[in-house]
Amino acid sequence: MKIGFVGLGAMGQAMVANLLAAGHTVQVWNRSPEPVREMTEQGATAAVDLAEIFTCEVVLSALSDDDAVTGLLLDEDLLAVAPAGAVHVNTATISSELAARAHRRYAELGLRYVAAPVLGNSEVARAGNLTVLVAGEAEALTVVQPLIDVIGRRTWTIGDQPPQANLLKIMVNYLIACSIGAMAEATTVTEAAELDPKLLIDIVSEHLFTGVVFPNYGRMIGAREYEPVAFKLALGHKDVNLALDSGQAHGVPLPLGGVLRDAFIDAMAHGQSEQHWVAVTEAVRRRAGLGRE
């Protein structure tokens, strides 16, 4: 299948590499040229411009936020060159409101829009082990499922309305953020009591919270080691805000979300935007007089 791909950050590059390895023809576009060069060295072809990408019958994108998606994927001139029935698969974590707007606009133009936000970091993406939450019309999902199978190990079909997948992804990230916040606070109390934070994490990871978040993120928090940066703190802040917006839209207060948002703002004000999002722990430690400056 010939595929257009927009957005070559760490996640996008991993997905493109797997699609190429599976034998697909992939044409790529990115704002900065270096990732494009790296992907062409692996067998992708570079698009002359973004409009050329939109002439493909299937386009995937891996962008960072609502602004990037709106600016690049909802441009009227770009959508005008897309062939009738073309499918766009958006893997980004964006607001449900934007997903609904994109779905409506694509449908008005005779195009098909699929939300496919993913669970996992760039390392997981490179291994083709992402969990993919998909939502869209059934025929479009059938077209793109072979591609989803390449980039992920498990697909959850959420429904026929794209915003449904994005809402669930936002809530998944909110739960992770709440877990990070809880670990940050608990390990800071442990540290203040002159006990080893790593010991606390080891205990709960083995006996209570097995899986990915506590053993992996907990290890980083317990050791106060925040590299490698698989997910930036600024993106965590974005996702907490998306969760708060979702709660407001559905009349559900999220008081923990307000506390988390303030901690992320504190961290960014101290120059931590580009650090791993578990580094929000330092905001908690600063308030306790223990944090790094």
Side-chain angles (χ1 to χ4, degrees), residues 175-186:
L175 285 171
I176 297 172
C178 287
S179 297
I180 290 171
M183 285 188 284
E185 292 182 354

Side-chain angles (χ1 to χ4, degrees), residues 4 21 31 73 82 104 113 118 134 148 173 189 236 254 260 268 288 291:
R31 280 173 168 162
L73 305 182
R104 288 195 301 270
Y113 180 88
V118 298
V134 299
I148 301 297
N173 281 15
V189 173
L254 299 179
L260 284 167
M268 291 189 296

Side-chain angles (χ1 to χ4, degrees), residues 25 71 88 120 182 184 211 231 253 281:
T25 300
H88 179 77
F231 189 76
T281 299

Side-chain angles (χ1 to χ4, degrees), residues 83-156:
V87 184
H88 179 77
V89 182
N90 187 357
T91 67
T93 301
I94 62 169
S95 67
S96 300
E97 184 278 330
L98 178 55
R101 180 153 53 95
H103 184 217
R104 288 195 301 270
R105 188 59 186 135
Y106 274 65
E108 290 168 357
L109 297 172
L111 308 173
R112 296 177 289 180
Y113 180 88
V114 172
V118 298
L119 308 183
N121 57 30
S122 56
E123 182 178 344
V124 175
R126 284 192 294 272
N129 286 333
L130 294 168
T131 297
V132 189
L133 314 182
V134 299
E137 64 174 80
E139 289 184 4
L141 296 183
T142 299
V143 170
V144 302
Q145 189 61 55
L147 308 179
I148 301 297
D149 290 340
V150 170
I151 67 173
R153 64 171 179 83
R154 173 68 189 272
T155 301
W156 292 83

Side-chain angles (χ1 to χ4, degrees), residues 12-210:
Q13 288 187 59
M15 293 181 201
V16 169
N18 287 330
L19 290 166
L20 290 169
H24 295 288
T25 300
V26 186
Q27 189 171 46
V28 297
W29 184 91
N30 193 67
R31 280 173 168 162
S32 55
E34 182 58 25
V36 174
R37 185 189 64 77
E38 293 177 8
M39 289 295 96
T40 57
E41 289 178 352
Q42 295 186 40
T45 58
V48 174
D49 53 24
L50 189 53
E52 188 175 5
I53 290 288
F54 273 79
T55 63
C56 297
E57 292 186 357
V58 177
V59 176
L60 280 77
S61 63
L63 299 170
S64 57
D65 55 27
D66 280 31
D67 288 343
V69 170
T70 301
L72 296 177
L73 305 182
L74 291 181
D75 181 279
E76 294 297 322
D77 292 336
L78 293 175
L79 295 179
V81 304
V87 184
H88 179 77
V89 182
N90 187 357
T91 67
T93 301
I94 62 169
S95 67
S96 300
E97 184 278 330
L98 178 55
R101 180 153 53 95
H103 184 217
R104 288 195 301 270
R105 188 59 186 135
Y106 274 65
E108 290 168 357
L109 297 172
L111 308 173
R112 296 177 289 180
Y113 180 88
V114 172
V118 298
L119 308 183
N121 57 30
S122 56
E123 182 178 344
V124 175
R126 284 192 294 272
N129 286 333
L130 294 168
T131 297
V132 189
L133 314 182
V134 299
E137 64 174 80
E139 289 184 4
L141 296 183
T142 299
V143 170
V144 302
Q145 189 61 55
L147 308 179
I148 301 297
D149 290 340
V150 170
I151 67 173
R153 64 171 179 83
R154 173 68 189 272
T155 301
W156 292 83
T157 302
I158 308 304
D160 60 2
Q161 297 300 309
Q164 297 170 324
N166 286 112
L167 178 63
L168 283 190
K169 174 60 192 302
I170 290 166
M171 289 299 104
V172 167
N173 281 15
Y174 180 63
L175 285 171
I176 297 172
C178 287
S179 297
I180 290 171
M183 285 188 284
E185 292 182 354
T187 56
T188 299
V189 173
T190 303
E191 180 183 2
E194 299 184 352
L195 292 167
D196 185 357
K198 295 192 293 293
L199 180 61
L200 173 64
I201 295 299
D202 288 344
I203 291 169
V204 298
S205 296
E206 181 174 341
H207 295 287
L208 295 174
F209 304 118
T210 59

